């Protein structure tokens, strides 16, 4: 089992550029979560999907952020345009929701916006 | 909104000692989970305790849950340098799949 796969692992970009983060959940899992982690704010849930449908995007900071899940094995988180305050580690997690919801995290993407 | 809050924020102990971390939460829950995060890595699920359980063990881990006090504790016995990591508690928000994480306890185990 490969676990949750995220790419890229590190991204350095300049302010104003578009950034796309990618995630492949564990096969068979029906829920996918995008988190952002910073020293100041800790781990924040941005959005989550169940069966490829966005269920709660209340954590998405603003319209510059968007997420898609076109199929059960792939999701993207896009930031356009990026700003320095978006610098953080972005995690993707997946779970097989059956009442209890243990989540399996990917290794994260460290984003630096200059 | 922040649901779980860990205490202490940081803990430094010697190898072989026990480490205890606490978590307080605000609303009713059906389960509480503990996760570990090694530096530069993703979170790893350690243990889940349901609201009708008071104590649970997994290897050197012991978790307690007191729903009347809305608190939980994680005890790591006979700590090892490899236990050095941040530990987070997480609780479901409402009846949804959303987990709300605390800010974590940073544990350092000195060899």
């Amino acid at each position: 089992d490969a676990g949750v796969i995220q790419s890229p692992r590190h991204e350095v970009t300049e302010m104003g550029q578009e950034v796309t983060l990618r995630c492949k959940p564990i096969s068979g899992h029906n829920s996918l979560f995008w988190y952002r982690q910073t020293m100041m704010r800790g781990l924040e849930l941005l959005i989550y999907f169940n069966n490829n449908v966005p269920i709660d995007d209340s954590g998405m900071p603003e319209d510059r952020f968007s997420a898609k899940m076109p199929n059960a094995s792939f999701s993207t988180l896009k930031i356009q345009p990026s700003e320095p305050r978006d610098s953080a580690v972005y995690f993707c997690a997946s779970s097989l929701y059956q009442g209890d919801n243990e989540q399996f995290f990917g290794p994260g993407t460290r984003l630096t916006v200059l | 909104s922040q649901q779980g809050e860990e205490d202490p924020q940081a803990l430094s102990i010697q190898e072989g000692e026990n480490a205890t971390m606490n978590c307080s939460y605000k609303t009713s829950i059906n389960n509480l989970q503990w996760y570990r995060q090694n530096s530069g890595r993703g979170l790893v699920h350690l243990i889940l305790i349901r609201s009708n359980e008071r104590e649970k063990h997994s290897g050197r881990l012991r978790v307690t849950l007191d729903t009347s006090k809305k608190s939980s504790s994680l005890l790591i016995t006979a700590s090892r340098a490899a236990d050095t990591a941040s530990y987070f508690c997480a609780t479901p928000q409402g009846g949804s799949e959303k987990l709300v994480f605390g800010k974590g306890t940073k544990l350092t185990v000195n060899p």
Side-chain angles (χ1 to χ4, degrees), chain A residues 31 37 56 100-101 103, chain B residues 35 37 50 97-98 103:
Chain A
S31 294
Q37 186 177 40
D56 187 335
D100 292 333
N101 47 342
Q103 295 183 13
Chain B
Y35 287 77
Q37 184 179 31
R50 294 187 174 83
E97 300 179 64
K98 289 173 64 170
K103 291 203 171 180

Side-chain angles (χ1 to χ4, degrees), chain A:
Chain A
D1 190 346
V4 175
I5 299 172
Q6 291 188 247
S7 64
R9 293 294 309 277
H10 301 274
E11 177 81 31
V12 180
T13 190
E14 292 188 345
M15 183 173 65
Q17 296 297 307
E18 176 181 302
V19 175
T20 299
L21 311 181
R22 297 173 176 80
C23 174
K24 177 179 170 54
I26 292 173
S27 177
H29 281 189
N30 58 1
S31 294
L32 183 141
F33 307 81
W34 281 102
Y35 292 90
R36 177 173 67 177
Q37 186 177 40
T38 62
M39 289 292 293
M40 289 294 294
R41 300 173 68 91
L43 193 65
E44 303 173 280
L45 177 66
L46 301 177
I47 185 171
Y48 83 93
F49 297 82
N50 182 264
N51 292 323
N52 313 337
V53 176
I55 303 300
D56 187 335
D57 65 355
S58 59
M60 296 286 261
E62 47 200 273
D63 292 346
R64 297 184 298 107
F65 286 69
S66 62
K68 294 182 180 180
M69 192 164 185
N71 57 61
S73 59
F74 184 66
S75 177
T76 59
L77 178 67
K78 185 179 291 186
I79 309 172
Q80 180 184 25
S82 58
E83 297 183 1
R85 59 193 168 120
D86 301 330
S87 297
V89 181
Y90 291 80
F91 289 102
C92 175
S94 69
S95 73
L96 177 60
Y97 185 59
Q98 294 177 318
D100 292 333
N101 47 342
E102 171 188 351
Q103 295 183 13
F104 294 79
F105 281 73
T109 295
R110 182 173 294 276
L111 173 66
T112 303
V113 184
L114 303 174

Side-chain angles (χ1 to χ4, degrees), chain B residues 24-86:
Chain B
S24 59
Y25 58 93
K26 297 176 183 175
T27 61
S28 296
I29 57 172
N30 55 23
N31 72 70
L32 183 143
Q33 303 176 37
W34 286 91
Y35 287 77
R36 183 188 73 226
Q37 184 179 31
N38 290 88
S39 180
R41 310 287 285 272
L43 278 73
V44 174
H45 182 267
L46 293 176
I47 196 166
L48 180 152
I49 186 166
R50 294 187 174 83
S51 59
N52 61 353
E53 297 175 310
R54 291 295 170 259
E55 187 171 311
K56 200 164 184 178
H57 297 254
S58 176
R60 294 183 296 112
L61 305 181
R62 172 177 168 254
V63 170
T64 63
L65 180 64
D66 187 335
T67 53
S68 67
K69 295 182 180 179
K70 292 187 169 57
S71 68
S72 174
S73 68
L74 171 66
L75 168 67
I76 304 174
T77 60
S79 64
R80 306 166 182 168
D83 295 327
T84 294
S86 291

